[in-house]
Every structure is written in C-alpha cells, then in structure tokens.
C-alpha cells in the first residue's frame, strides 16, 4: 500500500470538506444562490504548505456534500488573494450586472508580498471582482484597490453585509487589534464609519476574519447585532480562536450590549468554539429570508500547527456547516451553534436506548455496531453529581481522545495528549483544552460528531462547542463513558447514528 493510500484511508475525513490536494486555510466568500451554497477558501494549489494565496471553490446543494470547482481567483501583480467575502448584488448597485444578469461581487484583500518583503507597512488593501455566472468565473475590477491602505500593517479580511435598514453596504475589516466599519452604496467607494475593540476582547494577537450581522433573539422579535472576530494568537486554549460580541449597531457604530459587558473592567471573552480547531469562520450571504438561518463554517485547524499536521496530499478540513442562534442565558446573550439540519438526512440510526443507570463505565458503542469514523452520538445525561464524566474514544493500540464534563473543577474538556501521532508539533498536544462553566451541571445534552480525524462536541444544543482534530495510528474503535469516582448517573436517552458516506 502506498503512503498516500494509507493516508487517505486513515486521515481523509469522511464527511468534512477537504481539497483534493494541497493547502487550504480560511473559508471565504460564502453565498447562496439558486439552490447552491458556494464556499471559497484560501488555497495554495502548488504545495501542501501555505504559499501564494488563491481562492479555491466548492459547491454544495445541502452544505454537507461539497464538489470542488476550478480555482476562482488567482494572485496577480497586485498581490496574493487573501481572505474576504462575497455578496449577491441583487439591485446591481455596483453596475457590474449586464443583460439582466445579477452580479456576485467578491471583496478580498490583496497582499502585496513584494511590499511586505521590502519592509513597507501598506502592503494590504481591499479589492473587488465580479462574476456573472453564479460564482464560477470572475473578473477583477480595473479600479482596484477600492480601499487602499491608510498606513496600517494588518488591514484585511473584508466581510460585507447589506444593511437593509440603512440601504447601504456595510464592511467590517480586521485592523491589527480592532475592527473597522465602512459603508458604501456601490461596493467601490468606501467611507470609514467607526472602529471597535480597542478596550474590549482579547489582545494577545492580531484580529482577523471578522463578520457582523443582525440576529433575532430566539423566541422574540428583538434584534441584536453580532460581531464575530477571530484572533491569532490569543485564544483561551492556545493559538487561534474566534471571539464574539453582541450589541447594537446604528448604521455607524457598534456598541457592546450592557448585559454582555456587565462589568467593563473584566468582560469575560466569549468564544464561538472552545476547541482548538475552529478558526476564521464566517457566515453565508444571501440565504433566503424564507430559510432565515445564519449559516457558518470554520477552518478546522489552528496556526499553532496547521502547517505541520501529518497529511501530505492535502492539508486541513473545514468544520461541519453550522446554524447560529442567539439566545439569552442567565441574562446574557450567547451565540449557540449546531450542525445544520441537512446532516440529519445522512443519519442511519444504529442504536437507540433510554434509561440506563450505571456508576463506572458504560460502553456506548464500538466498531462491531458502527463505523466510528462517520458517526453522530446524541446523549442525554441526568443525575450528574460533582464528578468527572469522560467520553473515551479509543482504539486497541492505545490511542485515545478523552472529552467530557468535569463537574469537580467546572469545565468541559478535550484531552488529545494520547491521541496518536503527536510528533509533528510540540504545540499540538501541549495542554488540555477547557471551556469553563459557572454552575455544576446536573443534566446535560451532548451531541458528538466523529470523523476519522476530528470530533465536534455540542453541549446543551450548542451553547458550548468544542472542535478538535487528532491523528490516530489506527482508526478509533470504541466510545465509552466513564464516571471517575463511580457516582451513579442516568443516560436518559442515547441515539447512535452512522452517516451515509
Ligand atoms: C487568517 C489569515 C487571514 C488572511 C489569510 C491568509 O487565518 O491569516 O487574516 O487573510 O489567513 O491566508
């Protein structure tokens, strides 16, 4: 068996998007149009490490099965094509539309590598391109850049949103350790409105890949604005992560909600995902109002080790596509995320149980029942006490990924320190990732997505999420649940499904 064949068998995800070959990082330019979801991505087609950036492209009808397309945007004399967004310009505000064809407009960062190497600071600027064939081929605007660099070294990753209330395009841009807001009527002329973040949020690294949009608070008609803001490094569990803020936007300024920021002196940062492998994620544009969902996808890696992970043919995958919801929990706004409902159509129920009482170890499932590299486990636990509850995903060669609920120290955790190949990077398993919670959990709902090299764990319908990758030496074979101090607990409900891939 050639090296690549075994790499395919052991590591190529079953149900997460990977490029056929070579390097991928951030998701870019996502939009929906005429029954198709488009996903572009930071792509280097000539090697399996980061290099001159292109926009790769993939298309899906269900957000789950992706078909890779020809490369959408190539670097040129103005620079590499860094991250950005795309909008469907329904009213042809840009004037790029022709013969009744609606233009799709991509807004991205040019990274002028020569400028950077020569020590300039103004080597990043914003530019646009348009497509008249639903995102397949693109023409770069001849007036680029549309937003030249004002003398800020990190000045990138434009995310554009149609602000219906003000009837203007709104751009959020990451600028070193802040988010800048701009407006435009035509996607070509941009005016600076305001900035946000100087004194709030994390500042242990550079802010990247922002997103901003209004959301209805679940169960109400009330609207709040959500600002997503990735940071690298500076994530709570190391390297790159994505913080979010909830507040109000009046067309000019984003103001953090007072309940979100109860005590401005010590605002606790909220993370969209507490696992180490969900970065630079943003939302889809142009999802029809009749659907109404806020759809998100992230890059399932971390700059701490992304370039070293042990796959040679391709490097890195996307998370599962997720639906975001805004809810109020204990008087504070929280962004929930769960796998999109389209995943359900791929599920074949393998086992279903209820009311299981145990006090030591419960064998949830094993490869006798199910392929544990394309599985969804939904489990509802009750009667939890001040104990540590560990899910153990393992093979019989000693590779194990442990994750779960620690009611003793009050956090969720993922421990991949014995998960298989760790040799490629010292940072990959240098610590256990945690997501703190305030009060002891006495019951909990957990949904676990297991692919060959990743787990995505959704606690309490996505209130807390943890996504991490791992590289076992053999496929994982069993999933157990262990109650550390043998306190009795109840599995109220257990559903194990295999995904049809
Ligand atoms: C985030 C990022 C972006 C940049 C891109 C370059 O992961 O650093 O800020 O546009 O990657 O590939």
């Amino acid at each position: 068996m050639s090296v690549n064949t075994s790499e395919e068998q052991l590591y190529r995800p079953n149900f997460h998007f990977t490029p056929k070959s070579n390097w991928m990082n951030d998701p870019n330019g996502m939009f929906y149009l005429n029954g198709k979801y488009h996903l572009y991505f930071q792509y280097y087609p000539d090697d399996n490490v980061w290099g001159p950036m292109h926009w790769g492209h993939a298309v899906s009808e269900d957000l789950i099965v992706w078909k890779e397309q020809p490369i959408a945007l190539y670097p040129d004399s103005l620079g590499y094509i860094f991250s950005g967004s795309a909008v469907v310009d329904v009213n042809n505000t840009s004037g790029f539309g022709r013969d009744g064809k609606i233009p799709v407009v991509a807004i991205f960062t040019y990274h002028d590598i020569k400028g950077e190497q020569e020590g300039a600071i103004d080597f990043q600027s914003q530019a646009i391109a348009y497509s008249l064939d639903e995102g397949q081929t693109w023409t770069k605007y001849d007036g680029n850049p549309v937003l030249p660099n004002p003398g800020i070294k990190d000045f990138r990753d434009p995310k554009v949103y149609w602000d219906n209330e003000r009837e203007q395009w709104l751009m959020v841009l990451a600028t070193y350790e802040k988010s800048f807001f701009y407006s435009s009527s035509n996607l070509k002329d941009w005016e600076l409105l305001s900035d946000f973040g100087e004194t709030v949020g994390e500042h242990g690294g550079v802010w990247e890949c922002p997103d901003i949009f209004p959301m209805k608070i679940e169960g109400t008609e009330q609207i709040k604005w959500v600002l997503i803001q990735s940071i690298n490094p500076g994530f709570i569990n190391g390297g790159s992560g994505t913080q979010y803020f909830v507040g109000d936007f009046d067309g000019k300024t984003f103001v953090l909600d007072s309940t979100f920021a109860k005590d401005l002196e010590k605002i606790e940062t909220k993370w969209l995902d507490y696992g180490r492998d969900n970065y630079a994620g943003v939302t889809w544009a142009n999802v029809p109002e009749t659907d109404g969902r806020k759809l998100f996808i992230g890059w399932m890696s971390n700059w701490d080790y992304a370039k070293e992970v042990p796959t040679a043919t391709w490097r890195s995958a996307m998370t599962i596509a997720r639906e975001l919801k805004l809810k109020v929990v204990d008087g504070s706004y929280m962004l929930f995320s769960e796998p999109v409902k389209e995943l359900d159509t791929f599920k074949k129920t393998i086992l279903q149980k209820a009311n299981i009482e145990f006090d030591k170890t419960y064998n949830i499932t094993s490869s006798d029942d199910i392929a544990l590299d394309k599985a969804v486990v939904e489990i509802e636990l009750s009667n939890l006490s001040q104990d540590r509850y560990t899910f153990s995903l393992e093979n019989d060669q000693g590779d194990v990924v442990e994750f779960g609920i620690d009611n003793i120290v009050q956090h969720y955790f993922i421990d991949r320190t014995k998960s298989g190949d760790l040799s490629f990077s010292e940072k990959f398993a240098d610590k256990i990732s945690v997501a703190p919670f305030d009060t002891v959990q006495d019951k909990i709902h957990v949904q676990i997505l297991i692919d060959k090299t990743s787990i995505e764990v959704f606690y309490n319908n996505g209130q807390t999420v943890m996504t991490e990758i791992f590289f076992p030496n053999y496929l994982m074979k069993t999933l157990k649940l262990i109650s550390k101090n043998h306190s009795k607990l109840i599995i109220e409900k257990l559903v194990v499904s295999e995904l049809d891939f």
Side-chain angles (χ1 to χ4, degrees):
M1 194 167 29
S2 79
V3 175
N4 282 355
T5 316
S6 68
E7 179 180 294
E8 289 288 322
Q9 284 173 354
L10 197 54
Y11 291 158
R12 172 85 75 179
N14 279 318
F15 63 99
H16 289 85
F17 176 71
T18 50
K20 280 195 190 67
S21 58
N22 290 317
W23 171 267
M24 173 177 81
N25 57 289
D26 315 353
N28 295 148
M30 294 111 76
F31 69 91
Y32 170 89
L33 189 60
N34 294 336
K36 290 195 176 119
Y37 294 93
H38 292 260
L39 167 66
Y40 300 83
F41 48 90
Q42 288 287 278
Y43 187 47
Y44 182 40
D46 298 331
D47 205 345
N48 62 7
V49 288
W50 190 91
M53 283 290 115
H54 300 53
W55 274 25
H57 184 201
V59 167
S60 172
E61 285 172 13
D62 56 16
L63 294 158
I64 305 292
V65 178
W66 293 97
K67 279 202 196 99
E68 199 171 342
Q69 306 293 312
I71 290 173
L73 290 170
Y74 287 78
D76 58 45
S77 62
L78 292 180
Y80 297 174
I81 314 292
F82 269 23
S83 285
S85 51
V87 293
V88 180
D89 184 12
V90 184
N91 300 320
N92 196 20
T93 62
S94 61
F96 292 136
R98 266 201 319 265
D99 309 328
K101 284 188 197 143
I102 293 175
V104 183
V105 180
I107 308 97
F108 57 88
T109 298
Y110 265 128
H111 180 93
D112 169 18
I113 190 73
K114 277 204 210 93
E116 184 188 19
Q117 284 160 355
E118 285 161 8
I121 55 165
D122 60 353
F123 54 85
Q124 294 185 334
S125 59
Q126 318 320 316
I128 56 178
Y130 63 93
S131 169
L132 296 175
D133 58 2
E134 302 189 4
Q136 283 307 119
T137 60
W138 296 84
T139 306
K140 289 173 186 144
Y141 175 50
D142 54 18
N144 279 335
V146 291
L147 180 52
N149 189 298
I152 302 172
K153 190 161 160 255
D154 294 288
F155 185 71
R156 59 177 178 268
D157 308 339
K159 181 76 167 82
V160 175
Y161 178 79
W162 175 251
D163 178 0
N164 210 17
E165 208 178 324
R166 263 74 51 173
E167 299 196 333
Q168 62 179 9
W169 296 104
L170 171 66
M171 178 199 289
V172 59
L173 193 71
T175 55
Y176 186 45
E177 288 188 42
K178 288 196 264 190
S179 329
F180 274 23
F181 301 105
Y182 295 83
S183 70
S184 173
S185 59
N186 58 9
L187 296 163
K188 294 171 182 160
D189 305 300
W190 293 94
E191 185 196 337
L192 181 63
L193 299 170
S194 61
D195 62 77
F196 172 81
E198 178 128 48
T199 55
V200 291
E202 295 299 317
H203 290 276
V206 175
W207 287 25
E208 300 183 314
C209 299
D211 195 355
I212 187 167
F213 44 85
M215 276 186 102
K216 246 186 212 159
I217 300 162
E218 276 294 291
T220 78
E221 287 302 305
Q222 204 195 337
I223 301 276
K224 283 282 165 188
W225 285 70
V226 176
L227 172 65
I228 289 178
Q229 185 57 80
S230 283
I231 179 172
N232 174 56
F235 176 49
I236 180 176
N237 287 310
S240 2
T242 303
Q243 47 186 343
Y244 68 88
F245 305 95
V246 180
D248 296 295
F249 183 75
D250 64 0
K252 283 208 160 73
T253 316
F254 177 81
V255 179
L256 201 60
D257 189 84
S258 59
T259 57
F260 195 87
K262 279 194 200 105
D263 180 352
L264 273 175
E265 290 299 306
K266 39 180 172 85
I267 299 171
E268 224 183 279
T269 303
K270 293 186 183 179
W271 301 97
L272 194 136
D273 194 314
Y274 282 80
R276 291 186 76 185
D277 299 299
N278 181 355
Y279 190 60
V282 288
T283 60
W284 260 272
N286 204 46
V287 176
E289 260 169 51
T290 46
D291 178 316
R293 291 179 294 171
K294 260 292 153 199
L295 301 169
F296 169 98
I297 204 165
W299 173 44
M300 200 152 58
S301 198
N302 186 310
W303 283 115
D304 265 2
Y305 43 75
K307 295 175 187 168
E308 285 103 43
V309 297
T311 57
T313 318
W314 77 96
R315 269 234 176 78
S316 75
M318 292 298 175
T319 66
I320 202 78
R322 299 173 186 185
E323 180 181 358
L324 303 181
K325 286 185 180 162
L326 188 59
K327 300 189 185 179
V328 182
V329 181
D330 300 332
S332 184
Y333 296 106
M334 295 206 75
L335 199 56
F336 283 55
S337 47
E338 282 203 284
V340 290
K341 62 175 191 293
E342 285 83 343
L343 190 65
D344 292 346
T345 59
F346 294 84
K347 286 181 187 165
K348 189 173 79 192
T349 305
I350 300 292
L351 58 97
Q352 204 159 4
K353 292 183 181 168
N355 294 320
I356 308 158
E357 225 179 78
F358 74 101
D359 60 10
K360 288 192 190 76
T361 298
Y362 181 75
N363 291 319
I364 296 177
T365 192
S366 77
S367 53
D368 296 339
D369 308 321
I370 187 175
L372 266 174
D373 56 6
K374 43 178 178 176
V376 178
V377 176
E378 199 194 329
I379 189 161
E380 226 174 272
L381 304 173
S382 72
N383 203 43
L384 301 182
S385 51
Q386 227 160 339
D387 204 342
R388 180 180 165 99
Y389 304 100
T390 303
F391 292 93
S392 180
L393 176 67
E394 44 186 77
N395 59 30
D396 42 24
Q397 310 290 322
D399 301 332
V400 54
V401 177
E402 293 183 336
F403 56 98
I405 307 126
D406 191 329
N407 257 342
I408 305 167
V409 290
Q410 292 179 207
H411 62 214
Y412 304 110
F413 62 94
I414 296 185
D415 179 351
R416 61 181 176 191
T417 57
K418 299 183 288 292
S419 60
D421 187 358
L422 312 173
S423 64
F424 54 90
S425 160
E426 274 175 15
K427 286 185 174 167
F428 184 70
D430 58 351
K431 48 181 146 339
I432 295 166
S433 299
V434 300
F437 51 77
D438 290 339
T439 40
V440 170
Q441 313 275 336
D442 68 337
K443 52 180 184 191
I444 194 155
H445 180 270
V446 193
Q447 185 177 189
I448 309 157
L449 268 48
I450 310 170
D451 205 326
K452 283 182 199 166
T453 50
S454 64
I455 46 166
E456 292 162 280
V457 192
F458 301 85
Y459 293 103
N460 287 337
N461 308 307
Q463 181 176 340
T464 306
V465 183
M466 297 187 82
T467 301
E468 292 209 352
I469 55 173
F470 50 90
F471 299 92
N473 295 308
Y474 301 87
L475 290 176
M476 295 305 201
K477 288 212 159 139
T478 44
L479 181 68
K480 296 175 185 159
L481 176 56
I482 303 154
S483 156
K484 186 175 182 221
N485 297 317
H486 303 174
S487 61
K488 192 164 73 186
L489 74 155
I490 300 166
I491 297 177
E492 299 280 348
K493 179 181 157 193
L494 170 67
V495 184
V496 177
S497 314
E498 186 168 301
L499 293 171
D500 183 15
F501 278 90

